[in-house]
Amino acid sequence: MASAPQAQGLPLFYNDLQPLSSDLHGNYRVRAAETAPFLARTHAVPVTVEEFPLIQRHMPIVFSAGDEPVPLALMGLNEGVNVFFDADGKLLGSEPVYIPAYIRRYPYLLARLRPDSEELSLCFDPTSDTIGAFDEGQALFADGKPTELVQQILKFNEEFEVAGQRTGAFVKELAEMNLLMDGEVAIQPDGAEQPYIYRGFRMVDEAKLNELRGDQLRKMQQSGMLPLVYAHLFSLSLMREIFSRQMQQGNVVAQPAPAA
């Protein structure tokens, strides 16, 4: 249900990566996009801990399965289902919804160009239709130098990297405290003989959280960790909202649980 998204050695959404260069891309521009086709069949997107308070109002926050869990915002309960965007990648509905920073970062990315170097370079996905040698849009370079737009893009990506490091530390702390468990949710719509069961993700074990010593809880509270844990737990109730949207859209592809 919620495996850490990655394909062909590249992060989710990215088909290729090139370092942004004034020599090669001096005439490139960025144009606005009204749709995000790459999102149409994406059901889970990585998120950072800074986003938890905003995301928990709109989407369930879970952790991917595996040895290195990643926080994910669920945009659907099934692979290939996104209840917030249509098949063309256009946002559904008129109500405002928080768009995770991972999505807003695309098609840019900070990456190491050499494995023996710690330096990160601003790269982009050349297959994106929002960046290229267009006649319209905002210029990336002027007189061979990066424009203010490039500086803004770079700053956003640098902040995202820092947030990613904080998120990794947060998840590591959860794992060391043995607070993560395999998740399961059962949803039984009206008229169904058996509930629909969703697994394949991890979540905080609320029973173990309640058993922590007072000093452990104080440490989590003082570090800002505890409110993030509760944002995650509160968000899980939205799984039923996502399920309901899938039912309305005819996208409930999971089979009901077999009778015991």
Side-chain angles (χ1 to χ4, degrees), residues 46-52 61-63 68-72 159-175 180 225 228:
V47 293
T48 65
V49 287
E50 282 87 347
E51 300 178 278
F52 278 26
I61 302 167
V62 300
F63 298 87
E68 298 182 0
V70 176
L72 302 170
E159 291 173 346
F160 186 87
E161 287 296 315
V162 172
Q165 293 172 7
R166 294 196 191 103
T167 303
F170 169 78
V171 176
K172 182 180 179 181
E173 188 76 12
L174 288 179
L180 290 178
M225 188 175 176
L228 298 174

Side-chain angles (χ1 to χ4, degrees), residues 115-155:
D116 59 344
S117 173
E118 292 297 316
E119 183 179 357
L120 297 175
S121 298
L122 182 61
C123 302
F124 71 99
D125 184 350
T127 68
S128 169
D129 60 3
T130 62
I131 179 173
F134 310 133
D135 294 329
E136 76 280 8
Q138 295 179 270
L140 289 169
F141 298 95
D143 299 325
K145 297 181 179 180
T147 62
E148 178 64 25
L149 175 62
V150 173
Q151 299 300 329
Q152 293 172 0
I153 293 171
L154 179 60
K155 181 180 179 182

Side-chain angles (χ1 to χ4, degrees), residues 3-69:
S3 56
Q6 188 175 9
Q8 300 177 347
L10 291 172
L12 177 70
F13 303 151
Y14 296 83
N15 299 305
D16 193 7
L17 279 179
Q18 287 184 10
L20 188 63
S21 162
S22 59
D23 293 334
L24 298 176
H25 313 113
N27 63 336
Y28 272 34
R29 293 176 176 269
V30 175
R31 60 186 180 188
E34 295 183 358
T35 61
F38 56 87
L39 270 179
R41 296 184 60 79
T42 299
H43 80 292
V45 177
V47 293
T48 65
V49 287
E50 282 87 347
E51 300 178 278
F52 278 26
L54 292 170
I55 292 173
Q56 59 98 18
R57 304 174 187 173
H58 304 275
M59 305 167 191
I61 302 167
V62 300
F63 298 87
S64 61
D67 296 332
E68 298 182 0

Side-chain angles (χ1 to χ4, degrees), residues 57-89:
R57 304 174 187 173
H58 304 275
M59 305 167 191
I61 302 167
V62 300
F63 298 87
S64 61
D67 296 332
E68 298 182 0
V70 176
L72 302 170
L74 293 183
M75 307 183 86
L77 299 185
N78 298 98
E79 296 278 350
V81 176
N82 189 323
V83 301
F84 295 95
F85 289 81
D86 65 17
D88 296 321

